[in-house]
């Protein structure tokens, strides 16, 4: 999932999945922490980075059910 915003600061990237983390322009929240916990619960993972064109990028990987 990519956006075309300003991207994430280095501090935000380090703590984005920490419960109640508040970025410089953000609100106190649980959204990214909940997404991280949900992915982990399903034996998957979620990562955050900045994309090359600017903006944030989130990758969600879940195992294929066989």
């Amino acid at each position: 999932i990519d956006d075309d915003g300003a991207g994430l600061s280095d501090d935000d990237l380090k703590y984005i999945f920490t419960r109640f983390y508040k970025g410089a322009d953000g609100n106190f929240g649980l959204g990214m922490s909940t997404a991280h916990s949900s992915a982990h619960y399903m034996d998957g993972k979620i990562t955050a980075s900045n994309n090359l064109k600017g903006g944030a990028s989130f990758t969600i990987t879940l195992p294929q059910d066989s």
Side-chain angles (χ1 to χ4, degrees):
I1 303 166
D2 295 330
D3 72 20
D4 59 357
L8 300 166
S9 71
D10 289 340
D11 281 340
D12 286 346
L13 281 172
K14 284 190 273 187
Y15 301 111
I16 194 78
F17 298 114
T18 303
R19 188 175 295 178
F20 299 118
Y21 174 72
K22 179 186 181 296
D25 296 325
N27 296 311
F28 294 102
L30 294 170
M32 295 310 299
S33 174
T34 301
H36 185 264
S37 295
S38 297
H40 181 74
Y41 178 78
M42 293 181 279
D43 295 325
K45 67 179 183 174
I46 182 172
T47 60
S49 62
N50 287 311
N51 63 51
L52 298 176
K53 295 179 183 178
S57 180
F58 295 90
T59 302
I60 302 168
T61 306
L62 298 172
Q64 185 175 357
D65 191 21
S66 47

